[in-house]
Amino acid sequence: MNIAHIASSPSKKVNYKLMKIKTKLRLGFGFLFVVVLFFGAISLFYMNKISISSKVILKDNYETLSFTRKMRAILDVNNLPLSTTVSDQFAALLAQEGKNITEPGEGVAVANLNRAYLGIINPDAGMVSRQAAVIKARLELSAIDQLNMNAIVRKNAAAQAAVERASMYLIFAASMCFLILFSFIVNFPGFVANPLREFSDAIKEISKKNYKQRLEFDGSDEFAELAGSFNAMAAELNRWESSNLAKIQSEKLRIEAIIEQMQDAIIGLDEKNDVLFMNKVAGQLIGKNEKEVVGLNALELRKKNDLLNRVLQNDGGDKLMKIYADEKESYFQLERRKIIVPSYDENSEQATVQTGKEAGEVFILKNITQFKELDEAKTNFIATVSHELKTPISSIKMSLKLMDDERVGSMNPEQKELVQHIKEDCSRLLKITSELLDLAQVETGNLQLNFVKTDPRKIAIYAMDAVRFQAEQRSIELELISRNNLPNVSVDIEKTAWVLINFLSNALRYSSEKSKVVIQVIEIGNNIEFSVRDFGKGIDEQYQKRLFDKYFQVPTDGNNKSGSGLGLAISKDFITAESGSIWVESAIGEGSRFCFSLPITD
């Protein structure tokens, strides 16, 4: 077999004609089949000869000895003259022996035995003659036994010799087959392995970026076809090396440098969850050397690293995480982004992006500790200011109440109107400061809930009573839809009622006079659903997702806004703290339906 040799030159051609690999394999395995068949035929031949020799010994001579033994037994156990039955048995055995004559001299002995038998059964013979005939018969039986015993010894010796010859021939045939097969095993694999070895050497050269390497076979077999494909690949790699590869490598190094210098922790995984890259900040957070982690499977690493496990468990959205870093508790915003790799049109010299496929994920941990601290400072400031404002506002409200008392003194209509405006402004300021205090409690984690098992209908009735006067002033009907004996809920009654009152206040504010507001309390699955429906103009869909954000207010006509924008945000915090959910359903021209659900207590 002739194969191409690898060199640093572009190509080196070897002029050899190669048969097809299939033909080589067929010839090789056909040769093995012939050798095995030949050895099997020889084995069967000699085994058959040994079997025939054994059969001759067992069948012929053994049967003769059996006949003579039975006839001798008849003469030994029976008295003369023989009975008819015994005589017939002897005659039958004698006839069978006459048909089984196999040895020289055995026929004469059988004839003499037959004459002696006739003398035994001759009715005219005397007792002396019969006894003489019995003696003659015994002598002939002994002669037949001796002939067959000698034959058994002779044939056994012949069979042993045949076995020894067969063993010698089989050993010789086995030795020859072993030498032939050993030579085949040593030489035949080279017909396939040698070209593969040359291909392996060529591929190693390619791995060393020797893209000018070429490999050629002069023939039409599969190796020649593979060499052609190899050369085409090497030429393509050489073209890319000389054009785009250096540029791509330079861009890759630049991107790696940028990632490494970023202050945010960045971890990149491929589609198999193997770590593609990890910057120094990420390595410090998870306590791993970034160079040791690259290439390892993140799903295996997460088993031994709690922080990495928390990162990978994220459901895909942004998530706030508290991590001990920089010798203090720090806050990080986790972002999870898909890696989309564009695919290009290979037929175009100037590749254009056609489609993209997902090739992994990037996890970014942004350190927002400074902003969190500022937010906490803001929350504490708001809580302090709100608390400090609440007392003087309450005092002003009390003073206004005293001024409105006739016993203090009478006021003219203009003064009364001014006092009424001041009272409304004080009430609004007091409400805002209360909401700010509640919001501060939620943000600082100091929200205190007093859970009590209660009938959900009582909460709805309490909230309706709180706004009933306001509804009557505008001739708005409050309708409660609920059944008796609803399952209890375990909630903070005051804060849950506060949420429902907030819903009702908003519904009354945006409802026209002489309309209706429907309060519904129903059981759905394992939850009790509270809802307040008005029949106002509704809320635009673009604002619905932001309704429960802090300080957000839906723009009204003329972009005028009322309230602080905290009521719904605080409502969401209260309901979430009670393991419930809150949402809104609305459409322009159809009114709005604000809902929250709370789990049923056991």
Side-chain angles (χ1 to χ4, degrees):
M1 166 124 194
N2 298 299
I3 50 179
H5 295 280
I6 305 301
S8 59
S9 59
S11 66
K12 185 175 182 180
K13 192 173 182 179
V14 183
N15 296 319
Y16 293 108
K17 299 294 183 181
L18 301 176
M19 67 178 68
K20 291 287 185 179
I21 296 177
K22 289 184 179 179
T23 305
K24 297 177 188 176
L25 295 176
R26 287 171 181 167
L27 290 176
F29 287 108
F31 176 73
L32 289 177
F33 178 75
V34 170
V35 171
V36 172
L37 189 64
F38 172 74
F39 181 74
I42 292 177
S43 301
L44 289 174
F45 174 75
Y46 284 105
M47 288 175 64
N48 186 53
K49 289 188 66 176
I50 294 171
S51 177
I52 292 173
S53 299
S54 300
K55 287 180 180 179
V56 170
I57 296 173
L58 292 175
K59 181 180 179 182
D60 298 335
N61 301 106
Y62 177 77
E63 287 182 353
T64 296
L65 292 174
S66 177
F67 297 150
T68 58
R69 178 178 58 78
K70 292 179 180 179
M71 287 186 285
R72 187 179 292 107
I74 291 173
L75 297 177
D76 290 340
V77 301
N78 293 284
N79 296 322
L80 297 177
L82 299 176
S83 65
T84 302
T85 302
V86 174
S87 177
D88 292 340
Q89 292 177 355
F90 192 95
L93 292 171
L94 183 58
Q96 290 177 350
E97 171 57 22
K99 297 177 181 179
N100 194 42
I101 297 174
T102 57
E103 305 301 328
E106 187 177 355
V108 175
V110 171
N112 293 334
L113 179 60
N114 189 46
R115 284 193 293 272
Y117 168 68
L118 294 175
I120 294 172
I121 63 174
N122 186 3
D124 297 331
M127 183 59 65
V128 175
S129 298
R130 288 193 182 96
Q131 289 179 346
V134 169
I135 294 172
K136 179 64 175 176
R138 290 182 182 277
L139 291 173
E140 295 301 332
L141 288 173
S142 298
I144 293 171
D145 286 346
Q146 188 62 41
L147 287 173
N148 280 277
M149 290 297 295
N150 293 336
I152 288 173
V153 173
R154 185 178 67 256
K155 291 178 181 179
N156 181 61
Q160 291 294 330
V163 170
E164 292 176 358
R165 286 195 303 273
S167 300
M168 182 182 65
Y169 291 147
L170 288 176
I171 292 173
F172 176 76
S175 301
M176 293 301 296
C177 290
F178 172 77
L179 293 175
I180 293 172
L181 293 177
F182 180 77
S183 176
F184 177 82
I185 291 171
V186 171
N187 295 294
F188 180 75
F191 294 155
V192 177
N194 291 340
L196 294 180
R197 187 183 307 112
E198 298 300 331
F199 274 107
S200 176
D201 294 339
I203 292 171
K204 290 179 181 178
E205 291 295 323
I206 292 294
S207 67
K208 297 176 183 178
K209 297 186 178 181
N210 180 16
Y211 299 132
K212 295 183 179 180
Q213 179 62 52
R214 298 295 182 270
L215 182 63
E216 295 185 5
F217 291 93
D218 186 13
S220 59
D221 66 344
E222 290 85 350
F223 288 120
E225 296 175 0
L226 186 59
S229 300
F230 175 85
N231 294 336
M233 177 196 71
E236 188 68 16
L237 289 174
N238 187 44
R239 185 175 70 84
W240 275 95
E241 173 69 14
S242 59
S243 59
N244 295 332
L245 189 58
K247 185 184 296 183
I248 293 173
Q249 184 69 19
S250 176
E251 293 296 330
K252 178 177 179 292
L253 293 175
R254 183 181 303 173
I255 292 172
E256 289 178 350
I258 293 173
I259 292 174
E260 187 65 28
Q261 296 300 320
M262 291 184 68
Q263 298 300 316
D264 298 330
I266 302 177
I267 302 173
L269 307 181
D270 62 12
E271 65 276 9
K272 298 179 180 178
N273 291 313
D274 293 336
V275 180
L276 284 175
F277 55 84
M278 176 187 295
N279 65 356
K280 184 177 180 180
V281 178
Q284 291 174 347
L285 285 180
I286 68 173
K288 295 285 186 180
N289 189 327
E290 61 271 18
K291 294 182 180 179
E292 296 176 355
V293 172
V294 173
L296 300 180
N297 189 271
L299 299 182
E300 294 296 327
L301 291 173
R302 69 188 293 182
K303 298 178 180 178
K304 300 179 181 179
N305 192 289
D306 182 63
L307 177 57
L308 184 60
N309 184 50
R310 289 168 58 193
V311 171
L312 297 180
Q313 280 181 343
N314 184 33
D315 57 3
D318 295 347
K319 182 179 179 181
L320 184 64
M321 302 180 67
K322 185 162 66 174
I323 304 171
Y324 188 82
D326 300 330
E327 299 182 353
K328 64 178 181 179
E329 286 188 345
S330 303
Y331 294 88
F332 288 83
Q333 185 75 32
L334 174 61
E335 297 182 7
R336 187 173 184 175
R337 301 290 180 264
K338 301 290 184 182
I339 300 176
I340 305 298
V341 177
S343 57
Y344 298 87
D345 184 4
E346 297 179 354
N347 298 323
S348 175
E349 293 182 359
Q350 293 182 349
T352 58
V353 179
Q354 291 183 336
T355 57
K357 63 178 181 179
E358 184 178 327
E361 291 180 293
V362 174
F363 297 85
I364 304 173
L365 283 169
K366 294 183 177 180
N367 193 336
I368 60 170
T369 305
Q370 181 180 359
F371 303 103
K372 187 68 176 177
E373 291 173 349
L374 291 174
D375 187 62
E376 289 179 356
K378 177 265 297 179
T379 300
N380 293 332
F381 173 76
I382 291 174
T384 302
V385 171
S386 300
H387 185 270
E388 294 298 327
L389 288 176
K390 193 170 184 180
T391 300
I393 291 173
S394 298
S395 299
I396 293 172
K397 193 172 182 180
M398 180 61 68
S399 299
L400 290 172
K401 186 175 181 180
L402 292 174
M403 290 178 64
D404 200 26
D405 194 337
E406 294 291 338
R407 291 174 295 179
V408 177
S410 60
M411 294 183 293
N412 57 39
E414 289 79 6
Q415 291 173 334
K416 287 185 178 182
E417 185 177 355
L418 289 173
V419 169
Q420 182 63 31
H421 288 317
I422 296 173
K423 287 174 65 176
E424 291 175 356
D425 291 338
C426 285
S427 297
R428 186 164 60 253
L429 287 173
L430 193 60
K431 179 181 178 183
I432 292 174
T433 53
S434 297
E435 290 177 347
L436 288 173
L437 284 174
D438 289 335
L439 181 64
Q441 286 182 351
V442 173
E443 290 183 345
T444 57
N446 295 323
L447 179 62
Q448 301 295 326
L449 296 177
N450 182 24
F451 285 94
V452 177
K453 291 183 181 180
T454 185
D455 183 357
R457 279 177 56 88
K458 292 182 179 180
I459 299 176
I461 294 171
Y462 175 80
M464 291 172 64
D465 291 340
V467 298
R468 194 174 301 280
F469 177 74
Q470 182 182 353
E472 290 175 352
Q473 283 185 327
R474 302 189 61 195
S475 300
I476 297 176
E477 178 187 355
L478 298 179
E479 179 182 356
L480 174 62
I481 300 176
S482 178
R483 68 176 177 86
N484 294 322
N485 301 322
L486 284 171
N488 289 339
V489 290
S490 180
V491 295
D492 186 309
I493 298 176
E494 292 185 2
K495 289 184 170 53
T496 306
W498 186 94
V499 175
L500 204 54
I501 292 171
N502 186 62
F503 283 0
L504 287 169
S505 298
N506 291 336
L508 293 173
R509 183 182 304 121
Y510 293 104
S511 295
S512 59
E513 293 185 0
K514 298 181 181 181
S515 61
K516 181 169 64 174
V517 173
V518 178
I519 303 94
Q520 189 176 43
V521 183
I522 59 176
E523 178 182 0
I524 299 179
N526 295 324
N527 297 286
I528 297 296
E529 181 183 292
F530 298 78
S531 65
V532 175
R533 178 177 177 80
D534 64 65
F535 297 91
K537 65 178 183 178
I539 304 172
D540 196 328
E541 185 178 357
Q542 62 177 322
Y543 303 124
Q544 292 181 20
K545 294 182 179 179
R546 299 183 57 193
L547 279 178
F548 297 98
D549 293 345
K550 287 178 283 190
Y551 309 111
F552 176 77
Q553 300 178 55
V554 178
T556 58
D557 295 339
N559 292 328
N560 294 322
K561 300 179 182 179
S562 60
S564 63
L566 294 174
L568 292 178
I570 296 172
S571 298
K572 181 180 179 181
D573 291 331
F574 284 169
I575 298 302
T576 302
E578 294 175 338
S579 302
S581 58
I582 188 170
W583 69 95
V584 63
E585 301 170 358
S586 183
I588 296 296
E590 298 180 3
S592 303
R593 182 171 176 264
F594 285 82
C595 315
F596 65 87
S597 66
L598 296 170
I600 296 173
T601 185
D602 294 334

